[in-house]
DNA sequence: CCATATCTTGAACGATCGTTCAAGATATGG
DNA sequence: CCATATCTTGAACGATCGTTCAAGATATGG
């Protein structure tokens, strides 16, 4: 006989909260301005999400889910070289519409470096969850050579994104990415270079 | 006849404030706990530094000065390849004692992405002030090829540092850096690869 | 020693913070 | 329509924030 629960209310609220935090940042987030932007009250946020920390955890998880969803849109199957994977990733994530989410990622990353317990598992996942799929596209995915190539790909990628967010100098950074991809391409097709460092790695 | 000003008081206070912020972070900085750690009062911080924003600006500038001082200790003169420069930089900055300052850098970087006016010129300087010296070590320093190589060096470098701060997986990242340096080495000694992208660049 | 500018303190200011709570609005099964 | 669980609100809580201010401690030139 009671009013039935409406789960869409919380989901819709969370979705708009993610947009707000992508736009305004996390470190200076305050519940009252957030609630006002969402045309609701701070008390309602507590009702639906619990404490502020719980809300932040939900927002970050939702942001991560958006990233995963966007990744699944990409077609990364088949025999792709590291350079080809890198090019696809760069084309996708350097798009301006992802910039707010990328900024949120870096902001949480920096905050998590200070206090890991505030964002349990975030840093570990931020590295390992990307490293593993990158390794999977390489020959001998569990070898040290694949792990090193994946690390170069991921970390270079992150560095370029940091640069792009700060300068928006797309011409310079695109040129650097292309050069970097050519370097990756050569490292893969000239295994004697990588074998210099990983004599044990199967080719 | 009055008591003479003692500039060392402010300088000593600032130096310890930088240590405190390196350790505890900037985004949750509060004047009272900071003052307590410095065995003084919040009012004294206002007396010496003005507003909290002015204090933060002074702390960040002092942190930047530490980086510059550390860079000047490095011997980066002479004919060094990009890979050699990269190796020297990595050996120096991946040292654990710089980690707090590196974390502060990334924290300010992320905060500045949200609100550039809070840290005027920080992002521009964070890129350009490093890009220019890197270009200077290359042939045809003002050409697009040098700029692309410098960008690959700087951005890769930042990505590796982000990774290292999060995982402390020195074995994996050191291996990746070595592979990456070999790639840079090859890109420099095989200019036909870079010339593919920069046909106008003088060699 | 004394005048005086510098340094330092503790208390207090209003503002904003996350959170709680009582009260009411809302919507549906019976 | 009615009972009732869900949803929402506005006010209020104590805590903490940056900042101000009056008062006193400190140290040196004269």
């Amino acid at each position: 006989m009671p009013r039935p629960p409406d789960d869409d209310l919380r989901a819709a609220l969370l979705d708009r909260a993610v947009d707000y935090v992508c736009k305004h940042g996390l470190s200076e987030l305050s519940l009252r301005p957030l609630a006002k932007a969402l045309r609701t009250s701070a008390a309602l946020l507590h009702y639906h999400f619990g404490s502020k920390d719980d809300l932040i955890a939900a927002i970050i998880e939702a942001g991560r889910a958006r990233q995963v969803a966007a990744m699944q849109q990409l077609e990364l199957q088949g025999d792709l070289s590291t350079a080809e994977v890198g090019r696809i990733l760069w084309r996708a994530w350097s798009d301006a519409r992802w910039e707010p989410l990328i900024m949120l990622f870096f902001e949480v990353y920096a905050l998590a470096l200070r206090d890991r317990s505030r964002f349990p598992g975030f840093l570990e996942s931020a590295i390992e969850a990307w490293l593993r799929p990158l390794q999977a596209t390489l020959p001998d995915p569990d070898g040290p050579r694949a792990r090193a190539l994946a690390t170069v790909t991921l970390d270079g990628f992150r560095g370029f994104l940091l640069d792009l967010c700060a300068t928006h100098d797309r011409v310079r950074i695109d040129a650097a990415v292309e050069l970097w991809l050519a370097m990756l391409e050569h490292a893969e097709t000239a295994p004697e270079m990588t074998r210099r460092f990983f004599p044990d790695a199967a080719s």
Side-chain angles (χ1 to χ4, degrees), chain A:
Chain A
M1 27 188 126
R3 174 179 183 174
D6 186 353
D7 291 340
D8 292 347
L9 286 172
R10 188 193 131 112
L13 217 50
L14 179 57
D15 207 53
R16 294 164 60 208
V18 173
D19 290 335
Y20 180 90
V21 169
C22 278
K23 187 173 178 185
H24 295 86
L26 191 86
S27 56
E28 305 203 33
L29 178 65
S30 183
L31 291 186
R32 261 168 269 244
L34 168 63
K36 187 165 212 173
L38 266 46
R39 274 197 275 272
T40 178
S41 64
L44 189 74
L45 296 174
H46 278 93
Y47 176 80
H48 279 295
F49 297 99
S51 71
K52 185 191 180 186
D53 282 346
D54 292 336
L55 170 61
I56 287 176
I59 288 171
I60 291 174
E61 172 53 31
R64 199 193 60 84
R66 287 189 185 180
Q67 287 190 21
V68 170
M71 279 297 287
Q72 287 172 343
Q73 299 270 23
L74 269 45
E75 301 187 0
L76 289 176
Q77 303 303 333
D79 281 343
L80 295 173
S81 68
T82 303
E84 287 168 327
V85 171
R87 186 173 286 107
I88 292 174
L89 287 176
W90 178 250
R91 292 246 174 104
W93 288 107
S94 69
D95 189 288
R97 78 167 184 281
W98 288 111
E99 194 178 273
L101 195 58
I102 300 284
M103 285 187 182
L104 177 59
F105 171 82
F106 284 128
E107 188 178 5
V108 176
Y109 197 110
L111 295 178
L113 286 178
R114 290 295 180 188
D115 183 3
R116 289 170 186 255
S117 63
R118 270 188 72 188
F119 311 97
F122 179 87
L123 291 178
E124 295 74 9
S125 171
I127 305 289
E128 200 57 33
W130 292 80
L131 224 45
R132 220 149 344 115
L134 284 173
Q135 283 179 248
T137 68
L138 293 169
D140 186 26
D142 296 326
R145 184 174 165 238
R147 196 145 175 85
L149 271 171
T151 298
V152 171
T153 305
L154 177 65
D155 292 355
F157 195 67
R158 294 256 162 89
F160 290 126
L161 282 177
L162 266 182
D163 191 342
L164 185 65
C165 284
T167 65
H168 297 112
D169 191 346
R170 203 172 272 278
V171 173
R172 172 178 58 85
I173 302 171
D174 275 346
V177 170
E178 280 304 323
L179 173 57
W180 174 69
L181 291 172
M183 286 162 52
L184 279 170
E185 191 93 28
H186 180 269
E188 242 184 332
T189 57
E192 76 281 358
M193 187 164 83
T194 60
R195 214 178 277 131
R196 173 146 58 108
F197 303 105
F198 311 109
D200 300 326
S203 166

